[in-house]
Each structure stands twice: as structure tokens, then as C-alpha cells.
Amino acid sequence: MVDKTTTMYLSLLDHIAKFVKLDHDETNTLLTYLDHHVVKKKGHLLVEGQICNAQYFIVKGVFRQYIINEKGNEQTIQFGIENWWMTDFLSFQSHAPSNFYIQAVENAEVIIIEKDALERRARSHPETRALF
């Protein structure tokens, strides 16, 4: 198991601290809901047709969200950079298949919070609901 006190979670904790103060116990509880993943260049977090069940906090690297248009060409919709969140919010909220791809532009790292973990977290700590 990854030691969740390592620096890989510090950027997210710093981000959260801008909006809400968490004590030591709340921070430790939050960390139990998170996963850290390394994504290689051109690796995908999401592909069209999948249901987006997570939100991604970009620790390192750049991601792009894109579609494949009717001509078969990739069309970038947005980029996500370090210390930003990226997800398909429509798919995440509606539990519908995504129309998007989310791909690493370079070797990258993300912190992932799954929807079910997020919902558990929001019930136990409603003050953090707006953060994710």
C-alpha cells in the first residue's frame, strides 16, 4: 500500500486548504478515499462509451479531453494542467456513457477519487462537498 503521507498528495491537500480547513483526523480520513496513478504519455483515463465514475486531480503533467468528430478526426475540447480537476461531469453526474476521451499529453500523475467514495465523503463531511 502506498504511504498516503508522501508528497504525491500534498498538491491536492494544498488545493483543498484554499477552501476549507481540515484537521489531522479529517485529512487522514480524506486520504483513505484517494488513489494515486501514474499515466504514461497517450494513456487514457476515460474513453468514449465508458461511464465516468471518477474525478481526477492532476498532480503532474497535462491532459486533454477530446472527441472524435463525424469525420473521424480528434477534436480537443479542453486541456487540464497541474493542480486542476478533470472529468466528464455530464457522464459522472448522469451515469451515462461518455462522449469524450481523457488522455495524457505527457507522462503524468493524477489523484483519483471514485464517485462512490466521493458520495461517502460528502455524507460524512458535507463541508467538503463543493471541493470535488
Side-chain angles (χ1 to χ4, degrees):
M1 179 162 182
V2 175
D3 177 12
K4 299 209 179 204
T5 60
T6 61
T7 59
M8 70 181 84
Y9 292 95
L10 290 179
S11 60
L12 176 58
L13 295 174
D14 288 344
H15 174 75
I16 290 170
K18 293 175 187 173
F19 304 98
V20 66
K21 181 165 175 48
L22 300 177
D23 65 29
H24 181 71
D25 290 338
E26 290 169 328
T27 299
N28 285 338
T29 301
L30 173 63
L31 292 174
T32 66
Y33 293 105
L34 306 175
D35 286 312
H36 177 266
H37 287 275
V38 173
V39 184
K40 297 219 180 262
K41 181 178 181 177
K42 296 193 177 189
H44 285 88
L45 295 173
L46 181 70
V47 297
E48 181 182 23
Q50 286 181 326
I51 294 172
C52 185
N53 288 315
Q55 292 190 28
Y56 309 98
F57 183 79
I58 303 167
V59 176
K60 180 181 176 188
V62 176
F63 285 83
R64 70 182 183 118
Q65 185 175 33
Y66 68 95
I67 61 169
I68 297 180
N69 65 24
E70 60 280 346
K71 294 181 181 179
N73 298 321
E74 294 179 0
Q75 183 176 346
T76 299
I77 305 300
Q78 70 173 333
F79 287 97
I81 61 173
E82 292 175 9
N83 298 312
W84 281 20
W85 289 97
M86 186 164 238
T87 196
D88 176 350
F89 288 105
L90 181 61
S91 176
F92 184 82
Q93 292 296 328
S94 67
H95 203 69
S98 179
N99 294 319
F100 300 104
Y101 296 81
I102 298 177
Q103 181 185 51
V105 174
E106 59 191 13
N107 290 336
E109 296 178 31
V110 293
I111 296 172
I112 299 173
I113 185 162
E114 299 286 338
K115 185 174 185 172
D116 62 336
L118 183 61
E119 290 169 352
R120 286 192 315 271
R121 173 73 188 170
R123 282 192 299 274
S124 65
H125 295 85
E127 72 279 5
T128 61
R129 174 168 279 178
L131 296 176
F132 303 100

